[in-house]
Each structure stands twice: as C-alpha cells, then as structure tokens.
Amino acid sequence: MSAVLFSTWKDEFIDNRGKPSEEWSASAFNLPADYTADTRSKAFIGWDGVAIFEEGIDAIRLACEYAAQYQVYSEACGRCAPGRWGGRILYDLLDKIARGEGSYADIEHLKEVSETMMLTSKCEIGRTVPKPILDLMEHYKEQFDSAIVNQTPSKHYNEEIHYIAKVTAPCTDACPAHVDIPAYIEGVRDMVFTESLAATRQTMPLAHTCGRVCPHPCEDACRRTNLDEPISIMELKRMGADYETDHQLPWQHPAPPKPLKNDGKKVAIVGAGPAGLTAAYYLALEGIKVDIFEELPVLGGEVAVGVPEYRMPIDKYNKDIELVTSMEAVDVYTNHRVDSKRLEELDAEYDATLLAFGARLSKKVYAENERTDMKGYWGAIGMLDKVNLWTKYGIGSPASNELKDKVVVCVGGGFTSMDVVRCSIREGAKKVIMIYRRDEKTIISNTTYEEYHEAVEEGVEFIFHSAVEKIIDEENQLTKLIVNRFELVPDPKGGRAQLVKIEDGDLEIECDYLIPAVSQAADLQLMPKEWNVELTSWNTLLTNGKDYMTNRPGLFAAGDCEYGPMTIVNAVGQAKRAASVISRYIYEGKVSLTDDEIMEDHLGKIKVYDKKEKVTGWMPGIPRIVSEKLGVEERSTNNLEVNLGFTGEEAIAEAERCMRCYYISMVAV
C-alpha cells in the first residue's frame, strides 16, 4: 500500500488532488513514495502508468524526461520504424511543448505516434513508453493547455530536478543477480557470442556455472509463458561462456579491468565459493586488492565439492574460477582455515572483510535414535564431499567403496538431496529412495522439473508425504527405518491444507545408509564472541539484506552464512551488491547504495512480471526447444554431463523466441 496523490499504475485510477491528506485513497501497489529513508519521491513513471506523490509536479517535464530515457538507454533494437523513430518524435514534441513553443497540432501528433508505437513496435520498450505519457496528457491536460496557449515553458523546465531511471525486464527483475537477460539472448540470436557473454558478466561472472545449475527463476517470469512456453533462458546463458572456452578467447569482461590501485586499500574474503568469487571479481574490476581465504584444498566452495560432475563439469567451473583468480588484484590462499583468532587478525589488517563461507553442517532429521556416530548414518555434505573430491580431483577414495550394492535412503526435497540420490545411483547403489514430507509438485518447485524427471528416469524411488520416525540399529550399525505416512487434509475453513499422520500407515524400510539432506547450517564458531555480531533466528549472520554489512562496521556477509543454504544465483546477487558497497565503504567509511541498486529494490517490490497479462501481437505456438540429454543407460553409471546443451542452430532458434521485454522506469526526486 502506498500513499499517492494520483495514480494510473496497472489501470488503478486514484485521484486525490484537492483532497486533504487524511482523506487520500491508497494505492494497492508498493510504489516508491519514499525513494530512500530520507528522500521523498515526487513521482514515479513506468511501463504501466504513472504515480504522483506531491502537488506541484511538472507533468510536461516528467513526460519529456521519460521520453528522453528511451534515447539515453538506446534499448530500441532498430528493427522496426516505430521503435527506431517513434521515441525520438515523442521526445522532440514534448520538449517543444515544455519550452513553450508547442501547439495543439503537436498534441494530436503525439497521440498518433503513441498509438502507432503501442500497436506496431516489435519490442516491449517501444510499446510501453507512450502509455504513461498519454496518461499525463489526459489527466494533467491543464498544464499542457497552459504551455501551449500562453507559449511559456512548463513550470520546472529550467529548474534542476533529479530524475533517476532504470531499464529492466520481467526476467531480469526475477533474477537474483539481475542479469541483463534480453541482452545476452540478443547476442546469441545475432551470433555475437562475445557480446552475449559480456552482457552476462555485467552482474554474473559464473556464466559456465549458472548456465548449467541455476534454478532459473527468470523463466517463471518470462512473458513468453503468457503466450506459449518460457524461453530456455538458463541454457542460452552458457552459449557465450562455452564459445569463449572452446575458442580460447581472452576473457570477455563487461569492461576493461582497472589497474591495481597502489593506495594500500585491500579487502579480505573468507570463502572461495560463488559468493566469494563473485565479490572478488567485481572488486578486482575496480582495481581493488582482494585476498581470498579458503579452508578446502580446492576452490569453488560447495559447487566444487557438492554439485556433481554430471551436472557441473569441473573443467567448466574451473574456467569461471580462473576468470577471477587470473585478475591482477586477486590472491587466493587454500587450506587456510579462518578461526576466531585469524578473523580478528584479518579485521585489523584489512579495510573491509566479507564473510562468504558456506553452510556445510548437515542438519538432522530429528528421528528417534538418531546418532551421527552410527554406522550407515552419513550427512549429505560429507557424502558429497567424498564423491566429488574423488571424482573431480582424485582426492580420497571412491564412494562406491561404501555404496556399491547397498540400499540408500535420503531424506530431503531440494537440490542437495537430488545430488545425493543421483550420485548414489552412479556409485552403484542397489536401491535408492528419497523420503519427502511434501509432494511431487513441491519438490519440482524446490529444484527443477528436469532434475526431478531425470532422477526418476535413473531409478530413484520417491516416497512423498512421509517422514522418518525412528532409526533402528544393531550394535551401532543402521539396519532399518520406521517411516510415518501422512495425507494432505483440506482445511474446512479454506486455510492451508494440513499433513495428518495416517494411522497404521507406517512403513519399515530396510537399508544400509540414511543420508539426511533436509538442510545445512553455517558453522559460526569463527565469530569472536566479544564482537557480539547479531544473528538471525536461523542462526545466520544478520544484515539488513540491502548493503550486507553486519552490525560490526567493516564486516560484511553474503551467501549461505548470511541467509542460509541458497542457490548459486542468489549468492552471486548478494555478493555483487556487497562488492559494490564495499568498494565505496573502504574509501568513504560509510555504506551506501547506487541509484541503480535503489531502483532494483523498488522494482522488486512493485513486481515487474504480471502473470495475468494477456500478451498479444506475437505469433503463438512456437515450441520451446529442448536440448539433447544423455540417455539413462548412457549416464547412470558414470559422471558424464547429462545436459549436452544447444547446438548453434538450436540456440539461435530459441533466442529468436525472445520478445525483448525491456521496460523503462523513472523516479523524480
């Protein structure tokens, strides 16, 4: 709910002009009435209308500045005349009226051009720019009339007003790393893969990785879904990265890295997983010295030792890692455990410290007789470490020594549990079962349809609406599980359905291994107690979720240790923001966000994607292209990559399905 003077946002019409503030109607949307905590917005204008927050707004200047953004950002692709020329005409006519030289013929021309753009532009930015301009022309008509009749400039035409604009897209807004998705898809479509990769790396350095193991929330917000099927956004991301690797090109940075600064400023990062690597990359691009400290003998964090080779080939991930470690400003120290004493030393030695270590403590299932020292009880993190250190690095010994011909039961319903059961198949287990408290639909939403479908194909048995009640052992050797079964009972009052235990519905499952993969926790023993760093109720490091600094000045946190177990793309998004804040903090001594970051947060509240929108003007029925996968028999006994990705022709065809749904938003402050 937002207090607004006037609004046409998403066809909501509110007009509080002339009313006392206590009688104002409120908007149903989270519009940015306050740009920051201490800065009030004057107006917000965007693809779906306009919102005015105070009397005295110059509607003509607002419309003119908004039209100007179409030129500033140059997002029109130039493939249609309305998009190429329409925005320029809008700006020229509005500026003519704003400076006191307009006529009513210009008003008619504005309406004509606007309607043409909205009907015939091939991209969303051309279709939507005229909408709020027409709203202002209609509902603030008296200002336009005055400027035309009196031939005088609009009231704020010659005044300094701060206008802050941002281009977004529904997919970009839904991406935790805010990747410019239409831009990298356009690079694939035009077969300029280097530009595609450079667009990705503006906010996502791990292009190989997130082109393979991202849960792609962007695809849930793809406007193509409202027409037929979403674009295969994730798989198109890997095209640029694979092109760079396959052709042994120089690193395709979003901008040339700045030379290493010799000003003595430096940042310590604890953890070399996705969050640590991302923060190091963007700090190094600015020429800021970074030292990364990693406890494991290898780099990459849980993606390296937790995500299996068949999903994320280590040679591809190592390319993402090398992108970071090859930079002049970055030094890495492996086998370097940071305890509380060492953290105190880093805090004293460095200008800022980013905690980016993972959540590597497996949580229990809280069953009767659950003991971590029981033979056959194996935490998911330990099990996946064993598998991946051997498979990827030749460290240790094969997990098949333990799992071959055994019955394995995993408890969980997320990516980690999927990795456990699918690795168990590959390590030769005789039977693999996953027990999950919820249903098939939920496990798919927790992971992806592809991940679940491939696990079923490989022979994993899923038992839904179930939970382990008791673990039975003989002389400390796990032998059997007592499993409760539940049914989903609707709430007669219309609330959320509840799981109710089925009486006499218990199962007995004889097994050799129970592998809990319900969740993980961060090991916070490295935090000096005297620092009194605040924690969340989930026992993670507390930040405000915007600038990622803890309550201790100069100590930042991002990734699993800040939020709990999260996806790679979420960790990247947090770390990118943290690096941006740190780059200013070490010089200014205070935390601050850029206008672009502030606008990201506002747009996240507004929600860019509208799943109820009826998309028109595009030919429906173009099927989504599905990349080739290894057959079950080809993949279930080895660690070959399952998803083979698109061919060049397939990638171009899929990229051509993108509707290029850019939107412009702007705040006047």
Side-chain angles (χ1 to χ4, degrees):
M1 301 288 285
S2 299
V4 296
L5 175 70
F6 176 86
S7 174
T8 62
W9 189 254
K10 288 188 182 293
D11 296 322
E12 170 190 73
F13 185 74
I14 295 175
D15 192 350
N16 291 315
R17 289 175 290 182
K19 297 179 183 179
S21 58
E22 61 271 15
E23 295 180 13
W24 281 17
S25 301
S27 171
F29 303 102
N30 289 315
L31 299 168
D34 292 309
Y35 183 67
T36 62
D38 54 4
T39 304
R40 180 80 176 164
S41 300
K42 300 179 186 297
F44 170 73
I45 183 170
W47 63 94
D48 224 336
V50 62
I52 309 297
F53 303 113
E54 64 176 40
E55 299 278 6
I57 194 75
D58 183 342
I60 306 175
R61 173 89 183 273
L62 181 65
C64 185
E65 292 288 343
Y66 186 65
Q69 296 305 319
Y70 191 77
Q71 314 304 318
V72 172
Y73 283 91
S74 301
E75 293 291 353
C77 67
R79 294 171 191 255
C80 67
R84 185 168 62 249
W85 302 113
R88 182 69 202 183
I89 295 171
L90 289 184
Y91 173 75
D92 287 344
L93 291 174
L94 286 166
D95 185 62
K96 181 182 177 185
I97 295 169
R99 66 178 183 260
E101 300 173 10
S103 68
Y104 282 109
D106 295 325
I107 293 289
E108 294 307 311
H109 196 183
L110 275 168
K111 292 178 180 178
E112 180 184 358
V113 171
S114 294
E115 289 168 2
T116 300
M117 289 178 67
M118 294 170 73
L119 285 172
T120 62
S121 291
K122 289 187 175 181
C123 67
E124 271 310 287
I125 203 164
R127 288 171 174 264
T128 58
V129 162
K131 203 278 185 190
I133 293 173
L134 290 174
D135 287 347
L136 289 169
M137 289 169 61
E138 177 183 357
H139 298 291
Y140 282 79
K141 183 176 180 296
E142 71 283 356
Q143 290 193 23
F144 286 84
D145 287 343
S146 177
I148 291 170
V149 171
N150 298 318
Q151 290 290 284
T152 55
S154 63
K155 55 185 173 181
H156 296 155
Y157 185 73
N158 294 309
E159 294 183 16
E160 185 69 28
I161 305 290
H162 194 194
Y163 295 96
I164 303 155
K166 180 170 177 59
V167 171
T168 188
C171 51
T172 296
D173 176 68
C175 173
H178 298 288
V179 177
D180 189 348
I181 291 167
Y184 82 64
I185 291 180
E186 188 167 310
V188 173
R189 183 194 66 191
D190 295 342
M191 294 187 291
V192 187
F193 297 108
T194 52
E195 290 185 4
S196 174
L197 181 55
T200 299
R201 284 186 178 150
Q202 289 173 8
T203 60
M204 162 59 72
L206 311 181
H208 277 300
T209 309
C210 273
R212 286 172 166 82
V213 295
C214 184
H216 46 72
C218 51
E219 295 184 17
D220 294 331
C222 176
R223 290 179 67 251
R224 189 90 205 186
T225 305
N226 297 32
L227 191 64
D228 40 44
E229 296 179 283
I231 308 298
S232 189
I233 295 172
M234 181 193 75
E235 290 198 45
L236 289 174
K237 187 185 298 162
R238 67 192 273 187
M239 297 301 296
D242 285 350
Y243 184 85
E244 176 188 69
T245 299
D246 293 345
H247 293 80
Q248 298 181 332
L249 299 178
W251 300 118
Q252 303 299 302
H253 297 294
K258 295 178 181 177
L260 178 62
K261 297 178 180 179
N262 294 315
D263 55 12
K265 299 290 185 181
K266 56 182 181 177
V267 177
I269 296 177
V270 180
L277 292 168
T278 297
Y281 180 70
Y282 291 110
L283 288 166
L285 279 179
E286 295 299 314
I288 297 171
K289 181 72 181 75
V290 181
D291 290 334
I292 308 176
F293 301 92
E294 171 56 55
E295 179 179 5
L296 292 170
V298 298
L299 300 178
E302 203 57 32
V303 180
V305 297
V307 179
E309 176 77 0
Y310 63 83
R311 269 210 305 144
M312 186 60 246
I314 193 60
D315 62 327
K316 298 293 188 181
Y317 188 29
N318 280 341
K319 285 296 181 182
D320 286 340
I321 295 171
E322 188 182 345
L323 167 77
V324 180
T325 58
S326 65
M327 300 187 76
E328 180 187 13
V330 177
D331 283 313
V332 179
Y333 303 89
T334 55
N335 292 307
H336 192 115
R337 177 172 173 76
V338 174
D339 56 17
S340 60
K341 181 180 178 182
R342 182 66 178 125
L343 186 56
E344 288 176 335
E345 292 172 351
L346 296 179
D347 183 69
E349 183 180 349
Y350 290 80
D351 297 280
T353 300
L354 173 67
L355 300 177
F357 55 89
R360 289 183 43 80
L361 300 177
S362 293
K363 291 186 178 180
K364 294 183 176 182
V365 298
Y366 295 104
E368 184 181 340
N369 193 38
E370 184 174 8
R371 304 191 309 276
T372 57
D373 64 346
M374 184 186 299
K375 295 178 181 178
Y377 184 96
W378 199 355
I381 298 300
M383 180 266 192
L384 291 171
D385 280 358
K386 174 91 171 177
V387 169
N388 289 298
L389 282 171
W390 175 257
T391 300
K392 298 178 180 180
Y393 305 99
I395 297 173
S397 59
S400 58
N401 292 348
E402 288 80 18
L403 299 178
K404 186 173 175 58
D405 298 326
K406 297 296 194 292
V407 176
V408 177
V409 176
C410 176
V411 180
F415 280 109
T416 300
S417 56
M418 283 293 193
D419 291 340
V420 166
V421 294
R422 295 184 69 187
C423 282
S424 297
I425 292 286
R426 285 161 174 75
E427 296 297 333
K430 178 172 61 178
K431 187 175 185 178
V432 179
I433 301 168
M434 185 186 291
I435 292 174
Y436 184 48
R437 192 173 181 84
R438 296 291 173 183
D439 58 9
E440 180 182 64
K441 181 179 179 181
T442 308
I443 209 169
I444 289 172
S445 68
N446 288 348
T447 57
T448 64
Y449 170 79
E450 297 87 354
E451 185 75 15
Y452 171 69
H453 178 70
E454 289 167 12
V456 171
E457 282 186 328
E458 291 165 6
V460 177
E461 178 183 341
F462 289 83
I463 303 177
F464 296 107
H465 292 154
S466 58
V468 177
E469 178 186 28
K470 184 177 181 180
I471 302 170
I472 297 174
D473 70 294
E474 293 180 6
E475 298 181 356
N476 206 40
Q477 174 67 57
L478 186 150
T479 59
K480 189 186 301 184
L481 304 175
I482 306 299
V483 177
N484 297 150
R485 300 297 302 275
F486 298 83
E487 61 181 340
L488 204 58
V489 178
D491 184 346
K493 296 181 180 180
R496 185 180 180 184
Q498 299 296 311
L499 284 175
V500 177
K501 182 181 176 182
I502 301 173
E503 295 301 325
D504 301 321
D506 291 355
L507 297 175
E508 286 192 4
I509 301 177
E510 294 184 357
C511 63
D512 302 290
Y513 283 93
L514 171 65
I515 303 179
V518 290
S519 189
Q520 297 86 48
D523 184 356
L524 300 181
Q525 294 184 51
L526 82 164
M527 302 305 300
K529 292 182 179 179
E530 61 273 18
W531 284 6
N532 294 315
V533 173
E534 294 180 12
L535 305 179
T536 68
S537 59
W538 295 92
N539 205 40
T540 58
L541 298 168
L542 179 66
T543 74
N544 67 9
K546 291 185 177 181
D547 56 47
Y548 298 106
M549 190 164 81
T550 67
N551 65 308
R552 182 177 179 82
L555 184 67
F556 296 79
D560 292 359
C561 64
E562 189 270 343
Y563 188 82
M566 61 167 55
T567 63
I568 297 166
V569 69
N570 272 284
V572 167
Q574 286 195 355
K576 169 68 169 64
R577 172 75 69 88
S580 172
V581 175
I582 290 170
S583 69
R584 293 183 294 278
Y585 173 83
I586 61 175
Y587 291 101
E588 300 170 6
K590 60 182 181 180
V591 297
S592 62
L593 299 181
T594 64
D595 283 329
D596 197 64
E597 291 160 352
I598 293 169
M599 289 293 285
E600 278 179 358
D601 293 342
H602 284 311
L603 293 176
K605 293 175 183 177
I606 293 171
K607 302 298 181 189
V608 177
Y609 174 60
D610 181 1
K611 65 180 179 181
K612 296 180 181 179
E613 179 194 10
K614 291 184 179 180
V615 175
T616 59
W618 285 83
M619 182 67 69
I622 303 174
R624 171 183 165 114
I625 295 176
V626 179
S627 61
E628 184 181 356
K629 311 295 189 295
L630 280 183
V632 177
E633 293 187 2
E634 294 177 90
R635 72 185 190 235
S636 59
T637 58
N638 55 60
N639 282 284
L640 295 175
E641 185 172 14
V642 173
N643 187 349
L644 302 180
F646 290 133
T647 64
E649 293 80 3
E650 288 173 336
I652 293 166
E654 182 65 8
E656 286 176 343
R657 296 180 64 237
C658 178
M659 300 190 297
R660 205 171 187 278
C661 305
Y662 281 123
Y663 294 138
I664 300 177
S665 59
M666 187 179 79
V667 172
V669 296

